[in-house]
């Protein structure tokens, strides 16, 4: 597997994101060692919170939540998915599979950092990957916050707006990462913020991850990930793990998943699930501080 590594000077002068970068090596018997970049804030002995981003963003997306969680005494950890942010970037689209991304984040969270009693916060692909981690390693988790995400199996069609995004990524000669992030927000990003979303990708050769992810979403029942995701649903539906849905009020991509998760997850029963107002698909951008307060209250209330 050919790996690319974004030069560090691409990450200078990031707005409101001056946290020192940390790195962890994850190993796999068939595709070797990959370096995962992450940022961490808050007390090292605080309740851990794992913040997983999605397509086509990186941990910069969580910059508004990080200080809120740290001030609440939580240990907030925001990694970059492999192929994104400061993490190593497999150069070929075919190097990216759903199963590999689950394994890479599993190895990061549990082999490298040995997280226990962790709360997952997953948005977009952060939930597709994170919910698999919960289902397959429930003993490691204390709770789950699902924020504009889901766990598709291919049994139901994706929304038309998602297919438009899928096709736009497939057909783009030049993949404009920051434009795609902007399209999922309700407010206008600054030039510096747009530049920060483009920073991990000096040129098109670095963008195999963002190009691959839409095609990895199970959209038919013969998808390679369908069986594993169905098994995850079966396992999750038996776990009495505290589960909170914190979806925005303006996400046509995943909005329909909120009531399904609330109904299917035992740990969601009897809980008040907030709707984050005036926010789009990337609710961390549009209402990050509010989402941070919701997450902090949830974690501090766990047994």
């Amino acid at each position: 597997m050919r790996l690319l590594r974004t030069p560090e000077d691409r990450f200078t002068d990031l707005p409101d994101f001056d946290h020192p970068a940390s790195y962890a090596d994850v190993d796999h018997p068939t595709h070797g060692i990959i370096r995962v970049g992450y940022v961490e804030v808050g007390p090292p002995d605080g309740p851990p919170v794992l913040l997983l981003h999605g397509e086509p963003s990186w941990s910069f997306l969580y910059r508004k939540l990080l200080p809120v969680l740290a001030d609440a005494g939580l240990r907030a950890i925001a990694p970059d998915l492999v192929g994104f942010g400061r993490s190593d970037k497999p150069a070929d689209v075919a190097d990216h599979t759903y199963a590999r991304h689950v394994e890479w984040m599993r190895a990061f969270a549990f082999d490298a950092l040995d997280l226990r009693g962790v709360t997952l916060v997953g948005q977009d692909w952060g939930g597709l990957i994170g919910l698999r981690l919960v289902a397959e390693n429930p003993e490691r988790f204390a709770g789950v916050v699902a924020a504009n995400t889901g766990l598709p199996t291919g049994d139901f069609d994706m929304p038309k707006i998602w297919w438009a995004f899928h096709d736009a990524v497939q057909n783009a000669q030049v993949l404009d990462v920051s434009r795609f992030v902007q399209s999922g927000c309700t407010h206008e990003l600054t030039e510096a913020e747009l530049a920060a979303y483009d920073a991990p990708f000096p040129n098109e050769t670095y963008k195999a991850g963002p190009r691959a992810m839409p095609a990895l979403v199970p959209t038919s029942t013969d998808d390679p990930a369908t069986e594993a995701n169905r098994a995850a649903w079966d396992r999750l539906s038996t776990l009495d793990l505290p589960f909170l849905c914190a979806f925005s009020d303006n996400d046509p991509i995943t909005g329909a998943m909120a009531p399904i998760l609330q109904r299917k997850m035992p740990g969601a029963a009897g809980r008040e699930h907030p709707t984050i107002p005036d926010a789009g698909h990337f609710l961390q951008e549009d209402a990050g501080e509010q989402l941070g307060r919701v997450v902090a209250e949830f974690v501090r209330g766990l047994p």
Side-chain angles (χ1 to χ4, degrees):
M1 185 182 295
R2 185 168 62 96
L3 298 175
L4 302 176
R5 184 168 293 176
T6 304
E8 287 293 333
D9 61 11
R10 296 280 298 182
F11 300 104
T12 57
D13 300 323
L14 298 170
D16 303 316
F17 198 67
D18 57 357
H19 310 289
S22 298
Y23 296 96
D25 288 337
V26 301
D27 197 2
H28 191 278
T30 61
H31 44 264
I33 294 176
I34 290 181
R35 191 177 78 164
V36 173
Y38 67 103
V39 297
E40 179 175 335
V41 302
D45 59 349
V49 181
L50 181 65
L51 304 159
L52 295 186
H53 70 85
E55 157 83 349
S57 62
W58 60 294
S59 57
F60 177 76
L61 180 68
Y62 281 104
R63 70 193 180 283
K64 298 177 183 179
L65 280 79
L66 291 171
V68 177
L69 301 182
D71 289 347
L74 309 182
R75 178 190 177 194
I77 303 152
D80 298 323
L81 298 182
V82 172
F84 298 80
R86 293 184 172 97
S87 291
D88 283 347
K89 296 169 180 65
D92 295 324
V93 169
D95 292 332
H96 296 265
T97 70
Y98 197 147
R100 283 180 175 178
H101 277 279
V102 172
E103 171 57 23
W104 285 326
M105 283 297 102
R106 186 210 63 78
F108 166 77
F110 306 142
D111 295 346
L113 269 60
D114 194 26
L115 297 178
R116 300 174 187 272
V118 64
T119 296
L120 167 73
V121 178
Q123 183 263 342
D124 191 87
W125 264 100
L128 274 72
I129 294 168
L131 291 172
R132 282 276 299 274
L133 293 180
V134 175
E136 295 164 14
N137 309 271
E139 72 284 353
R140 293 279 188 159
F141 289 89
V144 177
V145 179
N148 288 2
T149 191
L151 190 61
T153 60
D155 292 289
F156 304 97
D157 197 11
M158 298 293 288
K160 288 183 179 180
I161 191 170
W162 181 87
W163 279 110
F165 167 73
H166 170 279
D167 294 346
V169 172
Q170 294 285 94
N171 297 327
Q173 288 189 334
V174 176
L175 192 65
D176 192 340
V177 169
S178 62
R179 182 176 68 85
F180 282 121
V181 175
Q182 177 65 84
S183 69
C185 299
T186 59
H187 81 284
E188 289 294 319
L189 300 176
T190 67
E191 289 299 320
E193 289 167 340
L194 292 169
Y197 282 112
D198 289 326
F201 310 108
N203 58 52
E204 294 305 299
T205 64
Y206 287 77
K207 298 178 183 177
R211 286 191 178 277
M213 297 307 266
L216 300 184
V217 176
T219 57
S220 68
T221 55
D222 59 357
D223 189 275
T226 290
E227 183 177 349
N229 279 16
R230 284 177 176 168
W233 273 107
D234 290 343
R235 187 71 178 99
L236 290 167
S237 65
T238 69
L239 295 177
D240 194 20
L241 192 70
F243 197 105
L244 184 72
C245 290
F247 280 55
S248 70
D249 64 347
N250 189 19
D251 182 19
I253 297 175
T254 67
M257 283 303 305
I260 297 172
L261 290 168
Q262 292 174 34
R263 185 173 67 251
K264 293 284 190 179
M265 302 301 164
R271 194 177 296 278
E272 184 176 346
H273 300 273
T275 298
I276 309 298
D278 303 319
H281 180 63
F282 295 106
L283 72 172
Q284 303 99 315
E285 272 293 344
D286 292 321
E289 293 87 353
Q290 182 176 352
L291 179 60
R293 291 190 293 271
V294 166
V295 172
E297 182 180 3
F298 174 73
V299 176
R300 299 306 302 184
L302 293 175

